Amino acid sequence: MSEGGSETARPDLARPVPFRGGGFRPVAKRGAGIVVFVVLLALAEWGTRTGWITNLTLPRPSDVAATLVELWQSGMFWTHLGPSLTRLVVGSALGVSAGIGVGIMIGLFSYVRAGLIPLVAALFPIPKIALLPLFVIWFGIDEGSKYALIALGTFTPTIVSTYGAVDNVDRTLVRMGQSFGLSWMSIVRKIVLPGALPGILSGLRVSLAIGIILLVAAEMLGAEYGIGAYILQAGSLYDLERLFAGVLILSVLGVITSWAIGLMEKRLLRWRN
Amino acid sequence: MSEGGSETARPDLARPVPFRGGGFRPVAKRGAGIVVFVVLLALAEWGTRTGWITNLTLPRPSDVAATLVELWQSGMFWTHLGPSLTRLVVGSALGVSAGIGVGIMIGLFSYVRAGLIPLVAALFPIPKIALLPLFVIWFGIDEGSKYALIALGTFTPTIVSTYGAVDNVDRTLVRMGQSFGLSWMSIVRKIVLPGALPGILSGLRVSLAIGIILLVAAEMLGAEYGIGAYILQAGSLYDLERLFAGVLILSVLGVITSWAIGLMEKRLLRWRN
Amino acid sequence: MDLTLENITHRYDGLTVLEDVSLHIPAGEILCVIGPSGCGKSTLLRLIGGLERPSAGQILQRGTAPEGCLNPLTYVFQDFALLPWRTVEGNISLVLEDHGIRGAKADHIISDVLARTKLSDFRTALPRQLSGGMKQRVAIARALAVKPAVMLLDEPLSALDAQTRELLMEDMIGLWERQPFTGVYVTHNLAEAVRLGHRIAVLSRRPGRLCEVVKIDIPLTERRAGDARLEAVQAQLWDMMKQEAMAADQELLHV
Amino acid sequence: MDLTLENITHRYDGLTVLEDVSLHIPAGEILCVIGPSGCGKSTLLRLIGGLERPSAGQILQRGTAPEGCLNPLTYVFQDFALLPWRTVEGNISLVLEDHGIRGAKADHIISDVLARTKLSDFRTALPRQLSGGMKQRVAIARALAVKPAVMLLDEPLSALDAQTRELLMEDMIGLWERQPFTGVYVTHNLAEAVRLGHRIAVLSRRPGRLCEVVKIDIPLTERRAGDARLEAVQAQLWDMMKQEAMAADQELLHV
Amino acid sequence: ANTKLMVGALRFTSHAASFVAFERGYFAAEGLDVEFKFFQAAQPMAVAIASGDADYAVTAISGGLVSLAQKGAAKVIGGALSEEKGIDGQKILASNAAYDAGLTSPAMLDGRSYAISQAGSSFHYMGSKISAAEGAKVNFKPLQKVGAIIGALKSGQVDAWSIVPHIAKALAGGGAVKIIGDVADYLPNYQVTTVFTSANNAANERGQTEAFLRAFSRGADDFNAALVDKTAGDEAATEMVRLVHKYVYASKPFEKAEKSIRNGAMRINKNAGLNMASVNDQLNWFKSEKLIKDGITIDTLVDPSYVDAI
Ligand SMILES: Nc1ncnc2c1ncn2[C@@H]1O[C@H](COP(=O)(O)OP(=O)(O)OP(=O)(O)O)[C@@H](O)[C@H]1O
Ligand SMILES: Nc1ncnc2c1ncn2[C@@H]1O[C@H](COP(=O)(O)OP(=O)(O)OP(=O)(O)O)[C@@H](O)[C@H]1O
Ligand SMILES: [Mg+2]
Ligand SMILES: [Mg+2]
């Protein structure tokens, strides 16, 4: 009403059409992420130097850096990272491959689906650390229990993302395969699996992040070396510099994993735009 | 070739068109889930009774049930569940609401997006249990640190699912709003938020499952009562019956949460088919 | 209210989409815009509607908007753009709420536009319960609710099946007849263009340039499917476009 | 090879979709099927193709399939149904691999069908790089690769824009002309039906019953857009369907 | 007006002195309004002192406690539990499998695995000292939780461990493990637990701290008399067990709990006296293991002004 009214005031004037579009589509601003990190670190450094943040609350970033350098120079960096990487790789390879297998079965077969989905839903919220004493009995305190813990932790989320991905495969493509008389195996191999791949890969992001988180839980059990063990020891000694150094390593590990999956996506999913 | 050839053998015979469709669309088989549970329980009961499974490996299901009944009768059930539920509700309410808020900001503003997404990616793989000693210093030993731990644990996954949901809101609907001259706030309130709701709710499923998992970690910190504390105590006494009873309660809690979200989805998303 | 486009050029990151398009759209007339895929028709419409800013040139509006006009330039989208979580009525009130129109007044407007689009019985239905044709009629009703000076229609019928399209074309002519509106109608379909356009602007393939503006003198109400004169215009347009269409269809998309 | 439908009835959970449909499809002829939305056209095609089993009645195939036929009843889908992760060539070899055709032999077939659909230059392109019309031509090439006895086409052109549709119709006629195939062509578009169909089966709204089968005696190659005789058939079909179409369009979907 | 105090405690018999002082009104008599805050493990208790969530607590000297002291957040002000030759103290255990394979005394520890909760824990210290004394090289396995250790020991995945007597006896009684020695033989006068508080309390709340220690010592005296020296008679002993049972093994019936509580009784130092030699030894051990920074001295850790050194 009012808007229309104001326009009628100068009937013969030619006015440009007002702009009202744009926005709602965030674009990448390069460097903003780095700025945030730098500002946060600078703030922490300044705070701990002036005593505004006590050394009980937060370690000084420069001390954390020094600890990392020291860790590197002492050669212990690889001593800790090596076993952790092995555990992460073996554990999540087991969990992820079993998860993908089960997820695909759930996506394809009615009975498997009906039987396993409630089981998965019941297993998902079980905290793995609560079962630590049992893992000792089931899998021993050597690498077995560590692999098992990480495998179990990555297993359920992989199942969920995989069967979701299989469910989302365009069913017209499957019908197309059938209409050309393709065999069941051909349809699964050539249509269902490649179609589910994007969903499976993006599920992998979450699964591997969980795997990294569980490194700490896994290394609660009789691990002498490993980033998780390093963190736990630092925690029990209340050595904040080492604690943060260890957490930083895990964080970087997470970012690298996510980047690696991004690379895999770029390679394997070149057919998407 | 060969198939065509075999058909040409009887040219004048009218044959029905062969069926080659169906499948690849699993349907719900009622009861299959229950059958799986019953079979697993029966197997465990039988195994522990015959001694085929040692009592070190797995508790007898009937003993776990008896422990639960005892827990209930002693009145301790609510003593433990009450504080845990409060922690879960308060902690995840904080984490989820902050996560949704930040997620929406990331979804709407370029600078927030660019600044925070790397931070979230770096925070995600940090294991919360590694930071337990710090939580005590930061938030105190009382409920504060428990709320904070659960809040932080639900925060990052909620952010990720929320901005994903906002990103997926159909941009034509936003353009439609703009083309009718709707204000920015109207577009956010009436178009972006309802459009992101399905994604936010399904993200909630994962966030709350993580919240339940973190109950145990939270109650590592000076909690006397709570399901997590109950489990931890049972674990430290290697009391498998109580350990499994506690885990079972968490599992049921997870299933109930997931069901409640399903109910919310049915209510709030009635407009979907 | 009429619109003037003066030497409009538009680029996306160096890709020129529209080049030096000048057009005049007089009040009360429907201008159809046709052209091969990707030639910039939708872009042109977004520019006219103020959803994007042209790289060069300007778009001017002149004259008074009709009494009570809430949104002078109003879109009807190809894929309806209905909020799936709002009922038919809610989708229309959406565009009134921001102008402070609620309650009885909004009710009156909604009843009126639903009656004009023959949707009165479906006031409380949700979009998912409607057929495609009905959805597009809701979108039209919503556009009518703000009493637009100009309706901008971006392939409004192309998401519908052929029969429904035929029916809706008749409806649109009926609406125009009762209350002539100014329209810019983008389409791929030459049959639609010759049925609904007072004038038809033909764009070249990308970068879209104005090839020709064809005027059809037969009043809208007298046009029928299968009218020989319309067929002749259509055939003429098809000849103009065939080469462009073939080239566009043979093109690899660089995405 | 020709097909006979005997008293086909089909139900989904009590909802009758098709009722007592009997039809004969002689070899080398294209049968167009038209009818309002939701009347069961796609269902009918799925039944013919053996992707579903009719609730009652039977579908019989009679006679010899052509020499080297790999898949007697072959679909062309509306939305192309190309595997986005395979190139044009890969999408065609997909349907050959299961018959053990690989290497030079597959190569030969692929080159042949790509040449017939004028796609030879795009052999290694991915679907996302192709325009809609090219995608549909790939789908047709894939169907040709298995030397089908009968082609089942479910609104093969309706996902395309009007100009591309026009071009592809000419292509289809060209293909049929060179090597006449048997076809069942489901469409919404009366113009398509009268251009491509030797006979046109009209279905009523749901439950779909056979209203009438219209025969058009003009050879496919002589039919042109704007031909008065075709316009007349089209107008006659439109009259038959208008009531049904309006009713279908006014219907609330119960989902 | 009474001073409100938050006292951190574990539900272990070794914390009985505080429970006695509370139940028998010794705290109240000193004008202290004490409230207990219970923990699942010792480590968070030290952190809670640092964060101000608890005022006083009793626990073993761990690397974490030393670190917090170094950051100026905690101070040891007295001693509590001690090993003493002649009094049933912590036991050295071997798993059945290891026992059968020849680990029948701590002298055979060479090449064996030894369970600890975490690096720098009291288990680590004991194991390290015992093996050093025997000239053995052992493998320490950090398993975090007592439950995990018990599981590992029962299933023979670790060979040895040391633990308080009531747990040791209960396990050995069930036939799950074998007792192969006493910690006291290797670490006589080992100061197992200490009383500690925040540095602020130690420096600026002298009156309150002294009052706490007085009441705590009275509780300790009662406990020692009833269950350690057994000089107070059977009735007093039973009454003491009843008192402790309110806090320890509360979920178990009295009959079952009684044995554990009696088994677990170890001396709590008179007047919270602190064995400085033992503390020094522990501190030096932490340094030699590089678990704490070299610069930490005994003064950083201990405020010796409150109690007598033994
Ligand atoms: N936001 C954008 N950013 C970059 N390029 C764009 C954008 N929008 C459109 N284009 C490009 O501009 C060209 C014209 O697009 P437009 O949608 O206007 O064409 P059109 O004529 O409407 O096509 P169609 O008939 O397929 O709807 C296309 O090449 C398209 O890829
Ligand atoms: N798998 C199925 N299960 C249940 N109902 C179905 C199924 N497939 C189709 N239907 C229903 O059967 C009816 C006919 O569907 P069909 O797709 O055959 O119609 P159509 O004539 O092809 O429609 P359109 O013109 O919209 O493509 C519709 O009401 C549809 O909802
Ligand atoms: Mg467009
Ligand atoms: Mg259909």
Side-chain angles (χ1 to χ4, degrees):
Chain A
M1 271 267 155
S2 53
E3 294 183 11
S6 73
E7 278 180 4
T8 55
R10 297 159 295 166
D12 279 339
L13 216 76
R15 290 143 298 138
V17 166
F19 177 68
R20 51 187 174 172
F24 294 99
R25 196 180 286 281
V27 290
K29 301 280 177 197
R30 276 182 156 264
I34 293 168
V35 168
V36 168
F37 278 108
V38 168
V39 166
L40 284 180
L41 284 181
L43 216 70
E45 184 75 27
W46 173 81
T48 45
R49 273 188 192 279
T50 59
W52 174 65
I53 302 173
T54 71
N55 61 351
L56 219 52
T57 313
L58 215 64
R60 198 169 293 174
S62 52
D63 288 349
V64 174
T67 308
L68 276 173
V69 170
E70 200 180 289
L71 186 68
W72 178 268
Q73 284 171 345
S74 68
M76 293 299 281
F77 181 80
W78 289 110
T79 316
H80 284 298
L81 191 57
S84 285
L85 281 183
T86 314
R87 285 162 195 154
L88 186 63
V89 169
V90 174
S92 43
L94 289 172
V96 162
S97 53
I100 290 177
V102 173
I104 288 173
M105 305 279 281
I106 289 180
L108 290 180
F109 302 108
S110 297
Y111 279 101
V112 179
R113 183 186 207 86
L116 291 190
I117 286 190
L119 197 64
V120 170
L123 285 180
F124 202 10
I126 294 179
K128 310 297 166 298
I129 37 170
L131 298 182
L132 278 186
L134 274 172
F135 272 82
V136 173
I137 300 290
W138 291 347
F139 306 102
I141 56 170
D142 294 323
E143 297 304 294
S145 61
K146 298 171 188 73
Y147 297 157
L149 188 86
I150 294 175
L152 210 80
T154 49
F155 181 56
T156 34
T158 308
I159 292 181
V160 174
S161 63
T162 302
Y163 80 69
V166 172
D167 286 356
N168 278 338
V169 172
D170 188 352
R171 280 329 188 239
T172 31
L173 293 182
V174 171
R175 300 286 163 233
M176 181 276 289
Q178 292 181 322
S179 79
F180 279 99
L182 264 58
S183 68
W184 189 88
M185 265 315 289
S186 282
I187 291 177
V188 171
R189 264 185 36 235
K190 298 176 186 168
I191 299 177
V192 176
L193 286 190
L197 197 60
I200 292 176
L201 281 180
S202 81
L204 214 56
R205 259 174 219 280
V206 176
S207 300
L208 291 186
I210 291 176
I212 292 173
I213 290 178
L214 285 178
L215 260 183
V216 172
E219 295 182 355
M220 280 187 167
L221 287 177
E224 221 181 322
Y225 297 111
I227 299 296
Y230 180 82
I231 289 176
L232 285 167
Q233 191 181 343
S236 74
L237 297 174
Y238 208 81
D239 185 338
L240 293 190
E241 285 81 27
R242 291 212 273 158
L243 180 64
F244 272 73
V247 165
L248 192 67
I249 295 174
L250 287 189
S251 195
V252 169
L253 203 60
V255 172
I256 290 176
T257 318
S258 161
W259 167 84
I261 293 174
L263 216 69
M264 259 167 83
E265 281 176 341
K266 266 215 193 96
R267 289 224 134 193
L268 294 176
L269 309 180
R270 241 174 311 186
W271 48 270
R272 301 196 306 185
N273 56 350
Chain B
M1 272 271 156
S2 53
E3 292 184 14
S6 72
E7 276 180 6
T8 53
R10 297 160 294 169
D12 278 337
L13 215 75
R15 290 143 298 138
V17 166
F19 177 68
R20 51 187 172 171
F24 293 99
R25 195 181 288 281
V27 291
K29 300 278 177 199
R30 276 180 157 264
I34 294 167
V35 169
V36 168
F37 277 109
V38 168
V39 166
L40 284 180
L41 283 182
L43 214 71
E45 184 76 25
W46 173 81
T48 46
R49 272 188 195 280
T50 58
W52 175 67
I53 303 174
T54 70
N55 63 352
L56 217 52
T57 313
L58 214 64
R60 198 169 294 173
S62 54
D63 287 348
V64 173
T67 308
L68 275 174
V69 170
E70 200 181 288
L71 186 68
W72 178 269
Q73 284 171 345
S74 70
M76 292 298 280
F77 181 79
W78 289 110
T79 316
H80 284 298
L81 191 57
S84 286
L85 280 184
T86 314
R87 285 164 196 153
L88 186 62
V89 169
V90 174
S92 43
L94 288 173
V96 162
S97 53
I100 290 177
V102 173
I104 288 173
M105 306 278 282
I106 290 181
L108 291 179
F109 302 108
S110 298
Y111 280 101
V112 179
R113 183 187 207 85
L116 292 190
I117 285 189
L119 197 64
V120 170
L123 286 180
F124 202 10
I126 293 179
K128 310 297 166 297
I129 37 170
L131 298 182
L132 280 185
L134 276 172
F135 271 83
V136 176
I137 299 288
W138 291 346
F139 305 103
I141 193 84
D142 292 322
E143 298 304 298
S145 59
K146 299 175 185 71
Y147 297 157
L149 186 83
I150 294 176
L152 209 81
T154 49
F155 181 56
T156 33
T158 309
I159 291 182
V160 174
S161 63
T162 303
Y163 81 68
V166 172
D167 285 356
N168 278 338
V169 171
D170 188 352
R171 280 330 188 239
T172 31
L173 293 182
V174 171
R175 300 287 164 231
M176 182 276 290
Q178 292 182 322
S179 80
F180 279 100
L182 264 59
S183 69
W184 189 88
M185 265 314 290
S186 282
I187 291 177
V188 171
R189 265 184 37 235
K190 297 175 186 170
I191 299 177
V192 176
L193 286 191
L197 198 59
I200 292 176
L201 281 180
S202 80
L204 216 55
R205 262 174 217 280
V206 176
S207 299
L208 291 187
I210 292 176
I212 293 173
I213 290 177
L214 284 177
L215 259 185
V216 172
E219 294 181 356
M220 280 186 171
L221 291 174
E224 263 235 273
Y225 297 112
I227 299 296
Y230 179 84
I231 290 175
L232 286 168
Q233 200 186 341
S236 72
L237 300 173
Y238 209 81
D239 184 341
L240 290 190
E241 285 81 27
R242 291 212 275 157
L243 180 65
F244 270 74
V247 166
L248 192 68
I249 294 173
L250 287 188
S251 194
V252 169
L253 203 60
V255 173
I256 290 176
T257 316
S258 161
W259 167 85
I261 294 173
L263 215 71
M264 258 166 85
E265 282 176 341
K266 262 209 194 104
R267 290 222 133 194
L268 293 177
L269 309 180
R270 241 175 310 188
W271 48 271
R272 300 196 306 188
N273 55 351
Chain C
M1 197 164 92
D2 55 351
L3 291 170
T4 312
L5 281 65
E6 293 179 352
N7 309 93
I8 296 295
T9 294
H10 197 65
R11 279 179 216 93
Y12 287 116
D13 320 306
L15 177 84
T16 305
V17 173
L18 286 170
E19 206 169 83
D20 198 30
V21 174
S22 295
L23 263 174
H24 179 71
I25 303 150
E29 232 187 46
I30 298 176
L31 172 79
C32 285
V33 179
I34 62 174
S37 222
C39 74
K41 303 183 293 297
S42 300
T43 306
L44 187 70
L45 212 60
R46 283 199 298 276
L47 293 172
I48 297 176
L51 288 181
E52 267 178 79
R53 270 188 273 250
S55 306
Q58 59 178 343
I59 295 158
L60 300 171
Q61 50 186 1
R62 201 186 302 261
T64 59
E67 182 74 32
C69 165
L70 300 173
N71 191 47
L73 298 165
T74 297
Y75 271 88
V76 175
F77 290 84
Q78 169 180 0
D79 48 3
F80 325 136
L82 300 181
L83 302 184
W85 50 86
R86 285 195 177 216
T87 58
V88 167
E89 159 176 65
N91 265 288
I92 298 172
S93 77
L94 172 80
V95 301
L96 301 175
E97 286 160 14
D98 259 37
H99 298 281
I101 300 176
R102 281 158 213 274
K105 205 163 155 194
D107 231 59
H108 177 75
I109 295 179
I110 293 170
S111 301
D112 174 50
V113 294
L114 288 183
R116 277 156 74 190
T117 47
K118 296 179 239 155
L119 283 166
S120 303
D121 293 346
F122 305 101
R123 190 163 175 148
T124 56
L126 284 169
R128 70 174 160 93
Q129 300 174 294
L130 304 179
S131 63
M134 284 159 85
K135 282 184 205 159
Q136 194 54 289
R137 288 212 305 275
V138 176
I140 293 170
R142 180 175 60 187
L144 294 175
V146 293
K147 297 220 166 64
V150 182
M151 288 245 258
L152 305 170
L153 304 110
D154 194 357
E155 309 189 30
L157 306 183
S158 71
L160 304 173
D161 60 79
Q163 297 137 26
T164 313
R165 200 146 57 206
E166 191 70 32
L167 290 171
L168 263 179
M169 257 196 286
E170 291 176 11
D171 286 355
M172 295 258 266
I173 293 175
L175 279 174
W176 186 87
E177 200 180 339
R178 248 190 296 166
Q179 183 163 20
F181 54 83
T182 317
V184 184
Y185 189 108
V186 166
T187 182
H188 268 122
N189 193 316
L190 305 186
E192 260 171 65
V194 298
R195 281 289 289 286
L196 290 175
H198 293 94
R199 292 184 307 148
I200 298 164
V202 183
L203 292 184
S204 72
R205 59 196 274 247
R206 198 181 64 215
R209 260 170 257 157
L210 194 61
C211 291
E212 196 158 343
V213 179
V214 178
K215 200 168 161 65
I216 305 182
D217 278 327
I218 314 163
L220 288 195
T221 45
E222 288 171 23
R223 302 187 190 175
R224 291 278 168 280
D227 183 313
R229 289 170 300 174
L230 292 182
E231 295 293 347
V233 180
Q234 190 175 336
Q236 172 198 350
L237 291 172
W238 179 233
D239 279 344
M240 277 164 62
M241 287 192 52
K242 191 163 180 176
Q243 291 310 316
E244 304 268 349
M246 281 173 79
D249 186 46
Q250 282 286 343
E251 221 161 54
L252 261 195
L253 305 178
H254 295 288
V255 271
Chain D
M1 197 165 90
D2 56 351
L3 290 171
T4 312
L5 281 65
E6 293 180 352
N7 308 93
I8 297 296
T9 295
H10 196 65
R11 279 178 217 93
Y12 287 116
D13 321 306
L15 177 84
T16 305
V17 173
L18 286 170
E19 207 168 82
D20 198 28
V21 174
S22 295
L23 262 173
H24 180 70
I25 303 150
E29 231 187 47
I30 297 176
L31 172 78
C32 285
V33 179
I34 62 173
S37 222
C39 73
K41 302 183 294 296
S42 299
T43 307
L44 186 70
L45 211 62
R46 282 198 298 276
L47 293 172
I48 298 176
L51 288 180
E52 267 178 81
R53 269 188 275 251
S55 307
Q58 60 178 341
I59 296 158
L60 300 171
Q61 50 185 1
R62 201 187 304 261
T64 59
E67 182 71 35
C69 165
L70 300 173
N71 191 47
L73 300 164
T74 297
Y75 272 88
V76 176
F77 290 85
Q78 168 181 2
D79 47 3
F80 326 134
L82 301 180
L83 301 184
W85 50 87
R86 285 194 177 218
T87 58
V88 166
E89 159 176 64
N91 264 287
I92 298 172
S93 78
L94 172 81
V95 301
L96 301 175
E97 287 160 13
D98 260 36
H99 298 281
I101 300 177
R102 280 159 214 274
K105 205 164 156 193
D107 231 59
H108 178 76
I109 295 178
I110 294 170
S111 302
D112 174 51
V113 294
L114 286 183
R116 277 156 74 191
T117 48
K118 296 178 239 158
L119 283 167
S120 303
D121 293 346
F122 305 101
R123 191 165 175 146
T124 56
L126 284 169
R128 70 174 162 93
Q129 301 175 294
L130 304 178
S131 63
M134 281 158 88
K135 282 185 206 159
Q136 193 54 289
R137 287 212 306 274
V138 176
I140 293 170
R142 179 175 60 188
L144 294 175
V146 293
K147 296 221 167 64
V150 181
M151 288 245 259
L152 304 170
L153 305 111
D154 194 357
E155 309 190 30
L157 306 184
S158 70
L160 304 174
D161 60 78
Q163 297 137 25
T164 312
R165 198 144 60 208
E166 192 70 31
L167 290 172
L168 262 179
M169 258 195 286
E170 291 176 11
D171 286 354
M172 295 259 265
I173 293 175
L175 279 173
W176 185 87
E177 201 181 339
R178 248 190 296 166
Q179 182 162 22
F181 53 84
T182 318
V184 185
Y185 189 108
V186 165
T187 183
H188 268 122
N189 193 317
L190 304 187
E192 260 171 65
V194 297
R195 281 289 289 286
L196 290 175
H198 293 97
R199 292 183 307 147
I200 297 166
V202 183
L203 291 184
S204 72
R205 57 197 275 246
R206 200 181 61 216
R209 261 169 257 159
L210 195 60
C211 290
E212 196 157 342
V213 179
V214 178
K215 202 169 159 64
I216 305 183
D217 279 328
I218 313 164
L220 288 194
T221 44
E222 289 173 21
R223 302 186 191 177
R224 291 278 168 282
D227 185 309
R229 289 169 300 175
L230 292 181
E231 294 292 346
V233 180
Q234 190 175 337
Q236 172 199 351
L237 291 171
W238 178 235
D239 280 343
M240 277 163 63
M241 288 193 51
K242 191 163 179 175
Q243 292 310 316
E244 305 267 350
M246 281 175 80
D249 186 46
Q250 281 286 340
E251 222 161 54
L252 261 195
L253 306 177
H254 295 288
V255 273
Chain E
N2 280 359
T3 321
K4 269 188 109 46
L5 282 188
M6 197 62 92
V7 173
L10 302 179
R11 290 183 178 275
F12 286 163
T13 318
S14 52
H15 287 247
S18 307
F19 304 147
V20 176
F22 179 80
E23 288 291 326
R24 299 205 167 151
Y26 302 155
F27 284 134
E30 295 283 353
L32 302 176
D33 185 2
V34 162
E35 198 179 308
F36 287 119
K37 179 127 204 79
F38 290 100
F39 290 84
Q40 298 286 339
Q43 206 261 346
M45 201 148 66
V47 182
I49 291 281
S51 71
D53 285 294
D55 295 301
Y56 299 93
V58 172
T59 188
I61 296 179
S62 62
L65 182 61
V66 179
S67 277
L68 288 168
Q70 188 221 350
K71 291 184 197 300
K75 273 287 195 228
V76 170
I77 52 167
L81 213 61
S82 277
E83 285 290 344
E84 192 179 317
K85 280 210 168 164
I87 305 264
D88 224 1
Q90 300 192 71
K91 303 289 180 199
I92 304 167
L93 303 179
S95 71
N96 285 342
Y99 188 88
D100 294 342
L103 181 60
T104 51
S105 96
M108 317 288 180
L109 270 174
D110 196 38
R112 297 290 177 175
S113 61
Y114 195 97
I116 60 175
S117 59
Q118 292 165 330
S121 64
S122 53
F123 301 113
H124 192 185
Y125 172 69
M126 286 185 279
S128 185
K129 282 294 182 181
I130 294 165
S131 55
E134 294 291 355
K137 252 192 82 66
V138 302
N139 260 327
F140 291 106
K141 292 268 176 204
L143 292 170
Q144 316 301 324
K145 303 252 170 356
V146 169
I149 296 177
I150 295 176
L153 205 62
K154 278 183 172 173
S155 52
Q157 302 182 63
V158 287
D159 301 326
W161 188 36
S162 55
I163 186 62
V164 289
H166 61 284
I167 295 180
K169 287 178 188 167
L171 286 172
V177 301
K178 298 278 191 297
I179 294 176
I180 58 169
D182 281 299
V183 172
D185 293 339
Y186 295 88
L187 291 165
N189 306 319
Y190 168 31
Q191 186 69 61
V192 183
T193 65
T194 59
V195 183
F196 65 100
T197 184
S198 64
N200 180 50
N201 275 349
N204 306 323
E205 300 285 348
R206 222 174 160 84
Q208 172 193 311
T209 305
E210 282 171 347
F212 173 81
L213 284 172
R214 270 196 304 276
F216 179 82
S217 302
R218 284 179 72 187
D221 290 344
D222 284 8
F223 179 79
N224 286 338
L227 293 179
V228 183
D229 299 326
K230 304 193 176 88
T231 50
D234 280 350
E235 203 164 301
T238 311
E239 196 189 331
M240 178 59 68
V241 172
R242 261 183 221 293
L243 188 158
V244 174
H245 180 237
K246 277 192 182 171
Y247 295 91
V248 183
Y249 298 121
S251 58
K252 283 195 191 173
F254 179 74
E255 295 69 33
K256 281 193 190 166
E258 184 175 14
K259 203 168 147 218
S260 298
I261 291 170
R262 283 180 188 268
N263 278 340
M266 280 172 70
R267 175 168 315 282
I268 301 172
N269 290 359
K270 188 167 178 59
N271 292 329
L274 187 63
N275 189 329
M276 289 301 277
S278 173
V279 173
N280 245 321
D281 185 56
Q282 295 184 42
L283 201 59
N284 288 330
W285 175 79
F286 281 123
K287 283 185 201 165
S288 69
E289 293 284 317
K290 302 218 175 310
L291 291 167
I292 58 171
K293 303 209 161 61
D294 269 337
I296 302 173
T297 64
I298 189 98
D299 305 329
T300 331
L301 179 62
V302 180
D303 184 339
S305 65
Y306 283 96
V307 299
D308 299 332
I310 311 171

